[in-house]
Amino acid sequence: MADAGVVEELLRRVERADGGVDSLDVASGLGEEHQLIVGAVKSLQALGDVISAELRSSKHWALTEEGAEIAEQGSHEARVFRSVPSEGLAQAELMKLSFGKIGFSKAMSNKWIRLDKAHEGGPRIFRTVESIEDQVREKLLLVQTGSSSELEEKEKNELKKRKLLSEVSYWKGSSFSTTITKQEAELTPEMVASGSWREKKFKPYNFEAMGVAPDCGHLHPLLKVRTQFRQIFLEMGFTEMPTNNFIESSFWNFDSLFQPQQHPARDQHDTFFLADPALAHEFPQDYLDRVKRVHSEGGYGSQGYKYDWRIEEAQKNILRTHTTAVSARMLYKLAQQEKFTPVKYFSIDRVFRNETLDATHLAEFHQIEGVVADYGLTLGDLMGVLHQFFTKLGITKLRFKPAYNPYTEPSMEVFSYHEGLKKWVEVGNSGVFRPEMLLPMGLPEDVSVIAWGLSLERPTMIKYGINNIRELVGHKVNLQMVYDSPICRLDS
């Protein structure tokens, strides 16, 4: 509330005056700023019908809230001029400022600035004069200091049209009193019991007021985008694989995928190894023997890698480096059925790699993977499924580039045309699983398995305009960002 002494003096003056009092006269009489008197009036109005007030157009003028701001900081057009450096400023950047839109049009009218629409980096604003005189602010300062008589009526009307000037006069209200009594906000049981409610004054109940928003949890942007991807897979008839085992043996993570034990990805530079328990001991023995044979001796039409395959390497426990380890387990389980049935699997979960941390890499991230197993699948089927999948993501321009993966042949990198960057960018990897991976599992020879994968973080960062992955995941995440982030809708 405004200063109590000012409020009481204002009430006394209103009581003595039959035709109301003028806010400027009160301010002048008390030696206070006019805005302080306006604040006292608003405090009294908040209490109910203590006083009445109306805006008047007469000889006396006062600054509005916006006018007071301009008197302190300068007009919108002057602030725009000051914001434009000598090398110019992008129009889009200027429009982000609170005073940008109004100030731009006024500064253009005053010919203080010019707009270069053909600039290489987009529309850019440049100064056309070296210095300016902020006449709007000077006029408002005259009014603020009580010298409005020095302004012509035309100048005052101009300022009024811009809603920078107004005047207020005040009268007694139906509940006028020269003393201020605090209004009660609620009726208590004690008031009812004692009967004191009869002497109390209550604030009017506002049925239009918004209630207090209940406290609730908020989904992280990654979870929102994950939900959209999951829905797309389900719409395409895929079944979700169980991915709750972050710890995996090197056998399922590497060996079962026909990835040799001397492969660089199996070094400590790329993989996190567990110290306790360091080794896994339970494997399907027949399947393990077949995997060992195809690695060291070859088979199923392959000559293998011709090296001494060691069980000690396959036993090492690690944090899984990809969810393809889960796909391998599910395909082995499928092969144990009496009769093969075509399947479509997907998974979205965390994987772990010993990466150097930077703006686009973390030691843990999410991998999205799709797998289809059926008779006679070809590279054309893989391209068709990828077109259908990415179309549902709103990505229609695709290109495929031959690539190498240890466990797929042929293999393809998937590229999409990025309209913003005006170039082709990689959006995923794909391929047909090799016979050396599938046949030791026991799958029929005429069954092919196509698969593809991509990360969850990259599309999330693009969707929410995040440039540094550490602002999306980890201890640097701003929780307010999680609270404010909008719902995710992928453009299909």
Side-chain angles (χ1 to χ4, degrees), residues 202-236:
F202 292 88
K203 285 185 178 180
Y205 197 90
N206 182 6
F207 289 94
E208 303 298 325
M210 296 292 290
V212 177
D215 291 331
C216 59
H218 297 273
L219 291 176
H220 190 280
L222 269 178
L223 293 179
K224 295 179 183 179
V225 178
R226 182 190 186 281
T227 300
Q228 288 291 300
F229 273 104
R230 186 172 183 273
Q231 186 61 35
I232 287 170
F233 275 115
L234 294 175
E235 288 173 4
M236 293 174 66

Side-chain angles (χ1 to χ4, degrees), residues 101-119:
K101 192 172 181 181
I102 299 172
F104 172 73
S105 59
K106 293 287 183 186
M108 287 287 286
S109 299
N110 294 342
K111 297 183 179 180
W112 292 349
I113 58 174
R114 65 179 176 86
L115 176 63
D116 183 1
K117 293 184 179 179
H119 194 272

Side-chain angles (χ1 to χ4, degrees), residues 236-355:
M236 293 174 66
F238 282 69
T239 301
E240 189 165 11
M241 295 185 282
T243 55
N244 53 341
N245 52 323
F246 291 163
I247 297 173
E248 190 59 90
S249 67
S250 293
F251 175 79
W252 287 108
N253 196 85
F254 297 120
D255 295 277
S256 66
L257 303 180
F258 196 57
Q259 192 160 334
Q261 293 185 339
Q262 65 270 28
H263 194 280
R266 301 179 69 154
D267 293 341
Q268 289 185 353
H269 297 295
D270 294 299
T271 303
F272 290 110
F273 289 86
L274 264 69
D276 186 22
L279 302 176
H281 300 284
E282 295 184 9
F283 304 103
Q285 191 58 47
D286 290 346
Y287 175 47
L288 185 142
D289 292 338
R290 291 194 295 270
V291 169
K292 176 181 179 179
R293 191 178 309 117
V294 78
H295 274 253
S296 56
E297 302 173 14
Y300 310 102
S302 169
Q303 64 179 9
Y305 292 116
K306 303 297 183 184
Y307 71 96
D308 183 19
W309 187 89
R310 298 172 62 245
I311 183 65
E312 293 80 10
E313 281 294 325
Q315 285 182 302
K316 290 179 180 178
N317 281 327
I318 62 171
L319 291 178
R320 68 180 179 208
T321 62
H322 48 198
T323 52
T324 315
V326 180
S327 302
R329 284 182 177 271
M330 293 299 291
L331 290 172
Y332 173 74
K333 185 178 179 182
L334 176 67
Q336 306 318 301
Q337 296 179 179
E338 279 190 30
K339 184 179 179 182
F340 171 80
T341 53
V343 294
K344 293 192 286 187
Y345 293 137
F346 81 95
S347 64
I348 308 172
D349 212 339
R350 270 184 285 179
V351 297
F352 309 85
R353 294 182 190 174
N354 196 358
E355 299 268 13

Side-chain angles (χ1 to χ4, degrees), residues 409-457:
E409 179 61 38
S411 307
M412 301 185 303
E413 291 174 345
V414 187
F415 288 80
S416 166
Y417 187 75
H418 195 293
E419 296 291 347
L421 299 175
K422 302 298 181 186
K423 67 177 184 179
W424 293 88
V425 295
E426 185 181 352
V427 292
N429 209 328
S430 65
V432 181
F433 282 142
R434 296 177 66 117
E436 296 97 325
M437 170 186 165
L438 301 178
L439 296 179
M441 293 178 175
L443 287 169
E445 290 188 14
D446 51 351
V447 168
S448 298
V449 180
I450 58 177
W452 70 97
L454 62 153
S455 77
L456 180 63
E457 281 75 5

